[in-house]
Amino acid sequence: MSNPKIVPVILAGGSGTRLWPISRDSLPKQFLSLGGTRTFYQQTLLRVPAAGDSVTAPIVVTGEDFRFFARRQAAELGIDATIVLEPARRDSAAAIFTAARIAAERYGEDSLVLALAADHLVPDVELFRDALLAAAEVAAKGYIVTFGIKPTEPRTSYGYIRTGEALGVAGASRVDSFVEKPDAATAERYLAEGYLWNSGNFIFPASLMLAEAERFEPAILEGVDAAIGAAKTDLGFIRLDKSAFLTIPAKSIDYAVLERTKKAAVIEGRFAWSDIGSWDAVRELGPVAEDGNVTHGPVSLLDSRNAFVHSEGPLVTGIGLDDITIVASDDAILVMPSDRSQDVKNLVAGLKAEKRNEANEHIRIHRPWGTYETICRGDRFHVKKIVVEPGATLSLQKHHHRAEHWVVVKGTAEVTQGERTYIVNENESTYHPVGEIHRVANPGKIPLELIEVQTGSYLGEDDIVRYEDIYNRA
Amino acid sequence: MSNPKIVPVILAGGSGTRLWPISRDSLPKQFLSLGGTRTFYQQTLLRVPAAGDSVTAPIVVTGEDFRFFARRQAAELGIDATIVLEPARRDSAAAIFTAARIAAERYGEDSLVLALAADHLVPDVELFRDALLAAAEVAAKGYIVTFGIKPTEPRTSYGYIRTGEALGVAGASRVDSFVEKPDAATAERYLAEGYLWNSGNFIFPASLMLAEAERFEPAILEGVDAAIGAAKTDLGFIRLDKSAFLTIPAKSIDYAVLERTKKAAVIEGRFAWSDIGSWDAVRELGPVAEDGNVTHGPVSLLDSRNAFVHSEGPLVTGIGLDDITIVASDDAILVMPSDRSQDVKNLVAGLKAEKRNEANEHIRIHRPWGTYETICRGDRFHVKKIVVEPGATLSLQKHHHRAEHWVVVKGTAEVTQGERTYIVNENESTYHPVGEIHRVANPGKIPLELIEVQTGSYLGEDDIVRYEDIYNRA
C-alpha cells in the first residue's frame, strides 16, 4: 500500500483586527504582506511541498468576502486551490471538520490533513518541511500531531504544550497537556521545564479527526456534513450551505478535540515561527537598529529608542519616543505604548461601535475584477483610481444620478457604450452620461488603470443598476 | 495740532516650523487658522481698529513667497493693505526700521507705528484695544512701548519684563529690564515679583525708532534706507531692493534697540495672549476634556489622559497615552511627549537635511491664481485637483512631455487652445496634447475646480514653457 496522501488545508477565514489599521475586516492580515513581497497566505501556500505523488493540491477554507483574494493570490503563484467558503464564522472546529470530511471523500479516509493557519510566519521553509516529514510519520500511526515550537523566550502571548512520552520519531512525543497563555513568571518556568509553544498548526489522518469529532462534538460534525451535503458550486468556489452551517456552534479545535483526545501528539519544530498576532509580534521580526528602534516605511526619529514604527502611507516622525508603537496607513494612525498591543482589538471594537468606516474598510476596495480607491471627494464630484485585472470585466451597468469621465492612464480598455463596443488606449478618454448603459473590460495582458471622475448630485456606491455580471452579482 | 496717526504694521515674514507638520516654510502658521475660521494674520488685521481718522490702512511686511497669501487674505476681509516684500529674512530689526521709515514718509515723523506679530493669538479684541489706547498715549510722549502681559502661570517659554517707574497712565511704566526665558524656579519668582511677559508687540513714534536705529544700528538703517530707495513696485507690491537688503545684518529688535534704549516703556495688557510658539501652546488653547485630553479633528482615544491630538487629515487613534502630543496632516505625522514641543524645530532641521519634501512643502501648493494638489501619482501619470480663484488666469503655457485631460467638476472654465478660446462647463472635459499652447481662466464668480489627468514620460513641474503670465512669472 502506498503512503497516504498529505492534503494541505489552509485556514484563511480570520478577521485579523489585531493588526489594525493595516489589517481590517475587509482585507485581513493573511492577505497582506506587511511590506514583504508575498502575502502571508501566499507564503503559507509556498510552505507546503508542491502537489505531486505524496501531496495533493491545497484546500483553502475562507469566508465569502475573501473568495477572490484567495483565488487571485493562489493563481499568482500558479496554484489551483480548491476554495471552500464558510457562510459565517464558526471558529476552527467547523473549518477543520469540513476540511477533514472533504479530504476523506476526495483522497481517502487515510489521507493526512495538514491544517495550517494562513496568517503565520515561518521564514525557513526547509526546517518546516523537515518537521512536516517527521510529523506525517507520527500522524500516520494514528495521532493528531501539533507543531510545537521550541521557545526562544518566555512569551506570555502563546499557549504552551507540556510534552509526555516519546514516540520513537525524533522530536515527537505524546502531549501531556495543553496549557493556556501564562503570566510572565509561569512562562519562565515553562521555558526552564522544556514546554513548547503551541503553534495551532496540525497534521492528522482524516478518519481520526472525524472519529474524534463524532465522539466529542457530534453536533458540529452533523452541521458540517449537512453544509457539505447541500453545498453549491459557484464560479468554481464550493459554497457551504448557509442554513446548515449557521446551526453549528462556534468552538475552537483546541476546546473541541485537542484538549480532550487521547491521540494528541506534538512534534518539536525547530523552525522560527510567529503567529503575528499583534503589533508587538511584528516588531519582534525586526530588523532592530542600534538604538533599539524598528522602523518600516517612511520614518524619521529624533532622540528615540525602542520605538516601533510601521508606516504604509505618511511620513511618521517622532521625538523622544521610548517603547512606543506607531502604525500609520493613509487614512488612520495608531499610537500606543508597545506593551498595549493586545488592546488593539478593543480599540477597533470601539471604532466599530462609533460606526467609523476606518474600522472595517480600507481606502482601496477590492472587487472580483480588481480594485478601486477614492483619491478625491468633493461636493458634487468624486475621483477614483480604478485598476482592472487582465481578462477581467466589470458588470454592464448604469447610474441614475451620476455621469462618469474615464481617462485611461495605463493599459487598454474595451468599453461598451449602449450598442457600441470600442477600444480606449492609454491617454484617451471616454464619457458616460447619466442613465447610459456601459461596461469596461481589460482585454490586455497588463492591468488597466483608469481615472474616473464622477459628477452628479448623488454619488453613493448604491446608485448602480447591474444588467450582467460575470461574477454573479447582477 | 491733531493727534498723530496710528500706523498698523503687521510683521508676517516668519517661517513657523515649530508647528510642523501643519505649518511649513511654504505656508507658515500666520496664514493658517489651525481649525478656526480666520487665519492668525487675518485675526491680527481685525484686531487693530479700522482705518479712519486716527488709524491708517495697514502695512504688511512679509516675504516674497507669501505675497499672494498676504494680499488674498487681507482682500477677503475687505482690507487694502500696503504689502512690503523683504527679499530675504533679516530678523525683526530690519522689518521694523523699514516700517518706521515708510510710516514716517507717508504719515509724518510723529506717526505712531503699531508693530504686531502676525502669528499671535489675542481672543479678546476689546481688551487689546483698551491697552492700545493707553499705549498710544504713552508712546506719543516719546516712548517705545511694549505690550507686556500679566502672566497667568510661570511659563519658561517667554521672555519677561521687570517694570520700573510708573508713567502716569494706568498700567504704564518704564522698563527696568528685559530678561531672557527663565528656568522654572526663576519663572516662579518673576511671577511673585510682578514681572510681565514680553509679547513682542510694540507701539512707538516713527521718528523715535529711526533716531534710536541711527544711534545703535546705523548699518541696519543704512541698508534699510537703500533698500527702500531702490524699491520697485510690482503688481502693487513694494519690492525692497535685493542687493541693498542683503547687506543688512540679521538682528532682533530686542537686541538692536529695546534692550539698549532709555526710552523703553511697557503697558500692562490684561488681555489673554499666546505666541502659539509651539504645540504645547496650542494645547493650552483647549478645550480640555474631563480626562485632560485635548483633541482637534478626527480622533478616538482609549484609556488615555492628558493627550493632545490635532489632526487635519487621518483618523488618529491612541491607546494608553499619557502626556503625549500627536499632530497629523495628510502626508506627515508627529508623535512626541508633550514636554518635547520645543524640539520640533530640530526635527524639522533634520528633515530638511534629509531633503524630505514634507519638511517644507504641503500637499496643497499655493499659486497666485489658486491652488493645486496631487491626488494620485503613477508610473506615467499624475492626477491633480486644481482650484482657480474667480477672475484668476493661469499662464499661457505648453509642455514638451505631457498631455493633459481636464474635467471641470465645479464652476466655469475659459479655455484657450491654440487660437481658440471657449467655455467649458461643469461635467465637461477638454484635452491638451503634448506641445499644444493652452491656458485656463476662471471668468466666473465662484472658484473653478478641475481634475487634471497628466500622462507622459516626464511629469515634473519644470516641464513648462510660459508665454504670458499676469503674475509676471513668464
Side-chain angles (χ1 to χ4, degrees):
Chain A
M1 187 188 111
S2 67
N3 281 334
K5 292 265 192 192
I6 292 175
V7 185
V9 171
I10 315 296
L11 302 169
S15 66
T17 55
R18 294 190 297 172
L19 296 188
W20 188 89
I22 304 302
S23 169
R24 304 186 191 182
D25 282 357
S26 65
L27 177 53
K29 78 170 198 255
Q30 58 269 31
F31 299 112
L32 298 173
S33 66
L34 290 188
T37 50
R38 297 294 189 197
T39 67
F40 295 113
Y41 167 71
Q42 289 180 317
Q43 292 181 48
T44 308
L45 286 168
L46 293 171
R47 193 175 306 141
V48 302
D53 282 348
S54 59
V55 179
T56 73
I59 296 172
V60 174
V61 183
T62 191
E64 167 80 14
D65 290 347
F66 308 145
R67 64 195 192 280
F68 292 103
F69 298 134
R71 175 179 287 165
R72 193 184 305 150
Q73 293 191 1
E76 280 173 18
L77 305 175
I79 292 175
D80 184 19
T82 296
I83 297 173
V84 180
L85 303 180
E86 296 179 301
R89 291 214 166 84
R90 284 295 180 270
D91 215 332
S92 52
I96 285 180
F97 295 173
T98 300
R101 180 65 78 200
I102 293 173
E105 286 175 355
R106 290 197 175 181
Y107 305 109
E109 297 271 320
D110 290 340
S111 61
L112 297 175
V113 175
L114 171 64
L116 299 178
D119 58 354
H120 291 183
L121 185 72
V122 175
D124 190 326
V125 170
E126 290 311 313
L127 287 180
F128 168 78
R129 290 184 182 176
D130 291 346
L132 171 57
L133 281 181
E137 188 182 338
V138 176
K141 293 178 181 174
Y143 288 97
I144 299 173
V145 184
T146 300
F147 290 86
I149 310 290
K150 195 172 167 58
T152 51
E153 54 178 325
R155 287 286 187 85
T156 57
S157 54
Y158 292 147
Y160 284 69
I161 295 172
R162 181 184 160 97
T163 56
E165 177 199 344
L167 283 174
V169 172
S173 51
R174 282 179 177 273
V175 170
D176 178 85
S177 54
F178 291 94
V179 291
E180 302 281 335
K181 293 171 185 174
D183 60 24
T186 311
E188 289 281 5
R189 184 164 62 78
Y190 288 171
L191 201 65
E193 294 178 7
Y195 286 43
L196 301 176
W197 287 337
N198 179 4
S199 79
N201 292 282
F202 318 97
I203 184 167
F204 49 78
S207 55
L208 174 59
M209 181 59 77
L210 293 169
E212 298 298 74
E214 180 66 51
R215 185 168 164 198
F216 297 120
E217 297 288 351
I220 298 181
L221 186 61
E222 194 179 325
V224 162
D225 283 336
I228 294 173
K232 295 210 166 39
T233 299
D234 169 20
L235 296 171
F237 298 109
I238 298 177
R239 199 183 281 278
L240 298 173
D241 182 69
K242 188 167 183 177
S243 62
F245 203 81
L246 287 178
T247 67
I248 298 173
K251 206 167 212 178
S252 78
I253 191 68
D254 301 72
Y255 290 137
V257 174
L258 283 162
E259 298 187 3
R260 296 149 99 181
T261 181
K262 305 269 185 234
K263 298 292 188 179
V266 59
I267 193 90
E268 181 178 319
R270 291 183 166 264
F271 49 86
W273 165 86
S274 169
D275 72 349
I276 331 167
S278 66
W279 283 115
D280 212 33
V282 178
R283 172 196 194 167
E284 308 256 339
L285 305 178
V288 184
E290 208 171 299
D291 44 18
N293 297 324
V294 175
T295 68
H296 306 153
V299 177
S300 186
L301 300 178
L302 181 67
D303 192 16
S304 298
R305 58 203 179 92
N306 304 321
F308 170 56
V309 187
H310 179 101
S311 176
E312 300 197 359
L315 169 64
V316 177
T317 66
I319 301 173
L321 303 181
D322 190 357
D323 258 320
I324 292 279
T325 286
I326 305 172
V327 184
S329 67
D330 277 327
D331 64 341
I333 315 296
L334 167 66
V335 182
M336 62 185 173
S338 296
D339 63 5
R340 298 299 297 266
S341 68
Q342 297 300 327
D343 294 315
V344 174
K345 57 183 185 299
N346 302 328
L347 175 82
V348 176
L351 297 176
K352 287 180 183 179
E354 291 170 24
K355 303 220 179 295
R356 292 214 67 120
N357 209 35
E358 299 90 345
N360 306 303
E361 296 284 349
H362 280 85
I363 289 181
R364 182 173 300 164
I365 306 287
H366 290 258
R367 290 285 181 256
W369 44 260
T371 64
Y372 71 83
E373 59 191 288
T374 293
I375 56 176
C376 185
R377 199 188 288 272
D379 184 17
R380 284 168 48 88
F381 69 93
H382 198 143
V383 187
K384 290 179 179 176
K385 180 185 172 194
I386 296 175
V387 179
V388 184
E389 294 295 325
T393 300
L394 276 68
S395 59
L396 185 69
Q397 58 188 242
K398 75 169 183 186
H399 312 291
H400 288 300
H401 302 288
R402 68 177 186 250
E404 294 177 345
H405 296 257
W406 292 346
V407 181
V408 173
V409 292
K410 193 153 221 172
T412 303
E414 184 185 85
V415 173
T416 299
Q417 198 165 16
E419 302 294 300
R420 237 177 103 218
T421 293
Y422 56 95
I423 293 293
V424 182
N425 292 303
E426 201 173 298
N427 194 28
E428 294 177 349
S429 66
T430 175
Y431 172 67
H432 305 287
V434 171
E436 183 204 74
I437 294 175
H438 60 280
R439 157 179 259 170
V440 63
N442 178 0
K445 299 296 179 200
I446 60 167
L448 160 67
E449 298 181 30
L450 54 89
I451 303 298
E452 175 181 87
V453 181
Q454 305 177 347
T455 58
S457 52
Y458 178 78
L459 301 168
E461 286 302 322
D462 55 349
D463 174 20
I464 185 166
V465 182
R466 288 198 176 102
Y467 292 93
E468 287 171 33
D469 183 48
I470 65 169
Y471 309 105
N472 294 354
R473 300 172 304 161
Chain B
M1 186 190 111
S2 67
N3 282 333
K5 293 263 191 193
I6 293 177
V7 185
V9 171
I10 316 295
L11 303 169
S15 66
T17 56
R18 294 191 297 172
L19 296 188
W20 188 90
I22 303 300
S23 169
R24 304 186 191 182
D25 281 357
S26 64
L27 177 52
K29 77 171 199 253
Q30 58 270 31
F31 299 112
L32 298 173
S33 67
L34 289 189
T37 50
R38 296 293 189 199
T39 67
F40 295 112
Y41 167 71
Q42 288 180 319
Q43 292 180 49
T44 308
L45 286 169
L46 292 172
R47 194 173 307 141
V48 301
D53 281 349
S54 60
V55 179
T56 73
I59 297 172
V60 175
V61 183
T62 191
E64 166 82 15
D65 291 347
F66 310 145
R67 66 195 191 280
F68 292 103
F69 298 134
R71 175 179 289 166
R72 193 183 306 152
Q73 293 191 0
E76 281 172 16
L77 306 175
I79 292 175
D80 184 20
T82 296
I83 298 173
V84 180
L85 304 181
E86 296 178 301
R89 290 213 168 84
R90 283 296 180 271
D91 213 333
S92 52
I96 284 179
F97 295 172
T98 300
R101 181 65 77 199
I102 293 173
E105 288 175 355
R106 288 198 177 182
Y107 305 109
E109 295 272 322
D110 289 340
S111 61
L112 297 175
V113 175
L114 170 64
L116 299 178
D119 57 354
H120 290 184
L121 185 71
V122 175
D124 190 325
V125 170
E126 290 311 314
L127 287 180
F128 168 78
R129 290 185 181 174
D130 291 346
L132 171 58
L133 281 181
E137 188 182 339
V138 177
K141 294 179 183 175
Y143 289 97
I144 299 173
V145 184
T146 300
F147 291 85
I149 309 291
K150 194 173 168 58
T152 51
E153 56 179 324
R155 287 288 187 84
T156 56
S157 54
Y158 293 146
Y160 284 68
I161 293 173
R162 182 182 159 98
T163 56
E165 177 198 345
L167 284 173
V169 171
S173 50
R174 282 180 177 271
V175 170
D176 179 86
S177 54
F178 291 94
V179 293
E180 302 281 334
K181 294 171 186 174
D183 60 26
T186 310
E188 290 281 6
R189 183 165 62 78
Y190 288 171
L191 202 64
E193 295 179 5
Y195 285 44
L196 302 175
W197 288 336
N198 181 4
S199 79
N201 293 282
F202 319 97
I203 184 166
F204 48 80
S207 55
L208 173 60
M209 180 60 76
L210 293 168
E212 298 298 74
E214 180 65 51
R215 184 169 165 195
F216 299 120
E217 297 288 350
I220 298 180
L221 186 62
E222 193 179 328
V224 162
D225 284 335
I228 294 173
K232 294 210 166 40
T233 297
D234 170 19
L235 296 171
F237 298 108
I238 297 177
R239 200 183 281 279
L240 298 173
D241 183 67
K242 188 167 182 176
S243 62
F245 204 82
L246 287 177
T247 67
I248 298 173
K251 205 167 210 179
S252 77
I253 191 68
D254 301 73
Y255 290 137
V257 174
L258 283 162
E259 298 187 2
R260 298 150 97 180
T261 181
K262 305 269 185 232
K263 299 290 187 181
V266 59
I267 193 90
E268 181 179 319
R270 292 185 167 262
F271 49 86
W273 164 86
S274 169
D275 72 349
I276 331 167
S278 66
W279 284 115
D280 212 33
V282 178
R283 172 196 194 168
E284 309 254 340
L285 305 178
V288 184
E290 209 171 298
D291 44 18
N293 297 322
V294 175
T295 68
H296 305 153
V299 176
S300 187
L301 300 178
L302 182 68
D303 192 16
S304 297
R305 57 205 181 91
N306 304 322
F308 171 56
V309 186
H310 179 102
S311 175
E312 301 196 358
L315 169 65
V316 177
T317 67
I319 302 173
L321 303 181
D322 190 358
D323 259 320
I324 291 279
T325 286
I326 305 173
V327 184
S329 67
D330 278 327
D331 64 341
I333 315 294
L334 167 66
V335 183
M336 61 186 174
S338 295
D339 63 4
R340 298 298 297 265
S341 68
Q342 297 299 328
D343 294 315
V344 173
K345 58 183 184 298
N346 301 328
L347 175 82
V348 176
L351 297 176
K352 287 180 182 178
E354 290 170 26
K355 303 215 181 295
R356 294 215 65 122
N357 209 34
E358 298 90 345
N360 305 305
E361 295 284 350
H362 281 85
I363 289 181
R364 181 172 302 163
I365 306 287
H366 291 258
R367 290 286 181 257
W369 44 261
T371 64
Y372 71 83
E373 59 190 287
T374 294
I375 56 176
C376 185
R377 200 188 288 272
D379 183 17
R380 284 167 49 87
F381 70 94
H382 198 143
V383 186
K384 290 178 179 174
K385 180 186 172 195
I386 296 175
V387 178
V388 184
E389 295 295 327
T393 300
L394 276 69
S395 59
L396 185 69
Q397 56 188 245
K398 76 170 182 184
H399 312 289
H400 288 300
H401 303 289
R402 68 177 186 250
E404 294 176 346
H405 296 257
W406 293 345
V407 181
V408 173
V409 292
K410 193 152 220 172
T412 303
E414 184 184 86
V415 174
T416 300
Q417 198 165 15
E419 301 295 300
R420 238 178 102 216
T421 293
Y422 55 95
I423 293 293
V424 181
N425 293 303
E426 200 173 297
N427 193 29
E428 294 177 349
S429 67
T430 176
Y431 172 68
H432 305 287
V434 171
E436 183 204 73
I437 294 174
H438 61 279
R439 156 179 262 171
V440 63
N442 179 0
K445 298 296 180 199
I446 61 167
L448 160 68
E449 299 181 30
L450 54 87
I451 303 298
E452 175 181 89
V453 182
Q454 304 178 346
T455 58
S457 51
Y458 178 78
L459 301 169
E461 287 302 322
D462 55 349
D463 174 21
I464 184 165
V465 182
R466 289 198 176 100
Y467 292 93
E468 288 171 33
D469 182 50
I470 65 170
Y471 310 105
N472 294 353
R473 300 172 304 161

